[in-house]
């Protein structure tokens, strides 16, 4: 593989709150990396030219060595970002985040209850976290995994984020296939609802909303949303870079294309057994992505006018909701084509 990775999303811990929000780490992983193993991994990233490491985890700031790892990233010229929950943030943690030059803090907001005055409510914790980070002049963004449980709260979350002067908000689809969360998955038809919400929000120009790699694909509305969000008239969406320019690391050292791909069949190797370079440069690595060819698609995707462009760069996890080569049922372009067929 000639292309080297730019970004790593590192799920550094699978520990969770008792009443956790929907997240990719529902199945806990044992044997988290030790401090020395984690430091060695950062060295491997530096050797491969990784530019960003996004530390992820509901309880990552509770790891005693997290700031040692962040400091080691800085020494190796790697930028650190953090993706966590609002209840992880307090004044003491914010001081340390500022001290160790963390680039951006992304707060997951997957639910928002109505108990605004209750001290431990979602509303209070989110408001408190963003206000603390703002006082320390730390760049913040919000991330929401859209499910049936919270799709009706998007407008309310938006108003809260605007009131807190949060500049950026990423929306992604909750595509977990766990048995106990299947009722939370949105239907493919609801993608249009999310796209409409994103379009209206970007038009208001009060907050930048970014559809994640798992939303959209080659509809005229999506093109406008992304250009407005990135404020670039010639912006061209290149899709998911998993296994091409980015990869994920699970808390036990397993290397995957993306941390949303939890099945063992997508584990490319473990850094306890091989170096990151050996795993990345293996001719057998990430074949599910690197060998993906548009001519092997089925359904609407097979005949899509976009199949010769960057269509194979769509979020692989939305394909896997059915099968990697099946027509992507969550694709906005495919949905539009299906609606057109139904009308004719």
């Amino acid at each position: 593989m000639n292309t080297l990775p730019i970004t790593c999303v590192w799920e550094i811990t699978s520990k969770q709150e008792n009443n956790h929000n929907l997240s990719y780490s529902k199945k806990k992983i044992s044997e988290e990396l030790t401090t020395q193993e984690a430091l060695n991994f950062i060295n491997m990233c530096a050797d491969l030219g990784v530019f960003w490491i996004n530390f992820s985890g509901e309880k990552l700031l509770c790891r005693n060595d997290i700031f040692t790892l962040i400091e080691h990233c800085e020494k190796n010229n790697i930028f650190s970002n953090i993706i966590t929950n609002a209840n992880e943030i307090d004044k003491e943690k914010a001081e340390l985040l500022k001290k160790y030059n963390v680039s951006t803090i992304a707060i997951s907001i997957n639910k928002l209850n109505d108990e605004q005055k209750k001290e431990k409510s979602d509303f209070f914790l989110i408001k408190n976290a963003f206000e603390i980070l703002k006082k320390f002049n730390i760049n913040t963004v919000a991330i929401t995994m859209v499910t049936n449980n919270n799709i009706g709260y998007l407008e309310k979350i938006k108003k809260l984020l605007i009131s807190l002067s949060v500049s950026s908000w990423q929306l992604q689809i909750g595509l977990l296939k766990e048995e106990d969360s299947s009722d939370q998955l949105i239907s493919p038809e609801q993608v249009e609802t999310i796209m409409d919400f994103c379009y209206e929000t970007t038009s208001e120009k009060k907050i930048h909303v970014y559809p994640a790699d798992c939303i959209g694909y080659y509809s005229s509305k999506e093109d406008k949303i992304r250009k407005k969000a990135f404020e670039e008239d010639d912006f061209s969406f290149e899709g998911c870079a998993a296994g091409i320019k980015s990869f994920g690391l699970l808390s036990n050292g397993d290397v995957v294309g993306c941390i949303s791909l939890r099945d063992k069949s997508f584990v490319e190797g473990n850094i306890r057994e091989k170096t990151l370079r050996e795993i990345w440069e293996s001719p057998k690595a990430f074949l599910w992505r690197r060998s993906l060819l548009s001519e092997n698609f089925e359904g609407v995707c097979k005949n899509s006018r976009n199949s010769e462009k960057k269509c194979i760069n769509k979020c692989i996890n939305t394909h896997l909701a059915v099968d990697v080569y099946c027509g992507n049922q969550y694709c906005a372009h495919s949905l539009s084509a299906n609606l057109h067929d139904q009308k004719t």
Side-chain angles (χ1 to χ4, degrees):
M1 182 67 188
N2 293 327
T3 304
L4 294 177
I6 298 172
T7 304
C8 167
V9 179
W10 183 356
E11 186 183 83
I12 195 167
T13 180
S14 59
K15 294 177 181 178
Q16 300 171 326
E17 296 293 330
N18 292 330
N19 297 314
H20 59 78
N21 297 336
L22 183 65
S23 68
Y24 284 129
S25 57
K26 286 200 82 170
K27 290 184 177 179
K28 292 185 179 180
I29 300 174
S30 59
E31 300 179 4
E32 294 181 354
L33 297 180
T34 64
T35 299
Q36 189 57 55
E37 288 172 329
L39 291 171
N40 290 341
F41 170 68
I42 294 171
N43 292 338
M44 294 181 197
C45 286
D47 172 64
L48 210 53
V50 172
F51 195 70
W52 287 290
I53 290 181
N54 299 322
F55 292 93
S56 175
E58 291 189 15
K59 301 285 289 181
L60 72 86
L61 292 180
C62 289
R63 261 192 77 130
N64 294 329
D65 60 359
I66 185 62
F67 291 103
T68 299
L69 302 181
I70 291 171
E71 183 178 31
H72 197 59
C73 283
E74 186 174 25
K75 288 179 180 178
N76 282 276
N77 298 313
I78 299 174
F79 290 98
S80 299
N81 299 318
I82 281 180
I83 307 169
T84 192
N85 291 336
N87 54 4
E88 279 268 89
I89 304 298
D90 56 29
K91 184 179 178 181
E92 181 182 356
K93 299 281 178 55
E95 286 179 332
L96 290 170
L97 292 169
K98 183 67 175 180
K99 176 183 177 180
Y100 290 101
N101 299 316
V102 174
S103 300
T104 298
I105 310 296
I107 302 294
S108 296
I109 306 175
N110 295 327
K111 63 178 181 176
L112 191 64
N113 56 35
D114 295 316
E115 299 173 331
Q116 297 186 11
K117 295 181 180 180
K118 199 169 181 178
E119 188 171 325
K120 295 300 181 181
S121 68
D122 302 320
F123 182 94
F124 176 87
L125 292 171
I126 293 165
K127 184 173 182 291
N128 185 60
F130 279 112
E131 287 179 344
I132 290 174
L133 294 170
K134 185 178 180 180
K135 287 179 181 178
F136 286 90
N137 198 30
I138 297 173
N139 187 49
T140 58
V141 300
I143 299 177
T144 297
M145 186 180 291
V146 184
T147 68
N148 276 328
N149 287 353
N150 65 16
I151 193 168
Y153 281 86
L154 293 182
E155 186 67 30
K156 186 174 182 179
I157 295 173
K158 179 184 75 174
K159 289 179 179 178
L160 173 59
L161 295 177
I162 291 172
S163 73
L164 295 171
S165 301
V166 178
S167 61
S168 302
W169 183 22
Q170 177 178 290
L171 298 182
Q172 59 194 64
I173 302 174
L175 285 166
L176 290 181
K177 291 175 282 185
E178 312 287 349
E179 290 183 5
D180 61 342
S181 62
S182 59
D183 61 334
Q184 298 184 46
L185 302 183
I186 66 168
S187 67
E189 291 73 24
Q190 288 174 295
V191 169
E192 191 67 23
T193 301
I194 299 172
M195 296 292 285
D196 287 341
F197 176 81
C198 289
Y199 185 79
E200 292 168 4
T201 301
T202 54
S203 298
E204 294 169 356
K205 298 182 179 180
K206 295 180 179 179
I207 185 171
H208 291 293
V209 60
Y210 299 89
D213 298 342
C214 54
I215 300 177
Y217 318 126
Y218 306 107
S219 69
S220 58
K221 186 173 291 183
E222 182 216 25
D223 185 57
K224 292 175 182 177
I225 292 168
R226 295 191 189 279
K227 285 180 177 179
K228 285 185 178 182
F230 288 95
E231 297 182 333
E232 296 180 17
D233 292 336
D234 59 348
F235 178 81
S236 178
F237 177 51
E238 296 185 358
C240 180
I244 305 297
K245 294 182 180 179
S246 66
F247 68 95
L249 187 77
L250 302 184
S251 58
N252 65 344
D254 281 344
V255 175
V256 291
C258 172
I259 62 170
S260 65
L261 301 173
R262 314 297 295 185
D263 191 88
K264 282 292 183 182
S265 63
F266 291 100
V267 175
E268 309 298 336
N270 190 289
I271 62 162
R272 285 171 164 154
E273 301 167 359
K274 296 181 180 180
T275 67
L276 179 60
R277 182 175 290 277
E278 287 174 327
I279 294 170
W280 183 264
E281 295 182 347
S282 169
K284 297 182 179 180
F286 307 99
L287 290 179
W288 54 269
R289 175 62 183 83
R290 295 175 181 176
S291 63
L292 193 61
L293 300 173
S294 58
E295 55 261 35
N296 294 330
F297 289 158
E298 299 176 4
V300 175
C301 291
K302 185 177 184 65
N303 301 314
S304 171
R305 62 183 173 84
N306 299 299
S307 61
E308 298 303 319
K309 295 167 67 177
K310 297 168 182 171
C311 211
I312 59 173
N313 285 340
K314 295 181 292 189
C315 175
I316 200 68
N317 204 30
T318 54
H319 274 295
L320 292 174
V322 181
D323 180 83
V324 68
Y325 285 110
C326 282
N328 188 344
Q329 61 178 338
Y330 286 92
C331 169
H333 178 76
S334 296
L335 286 166
S336 297
N338 289 334
L339 287 173
H340 180 269
D341 289 344
Q342 291 173 14
K343 291 178 181 179
T344 57

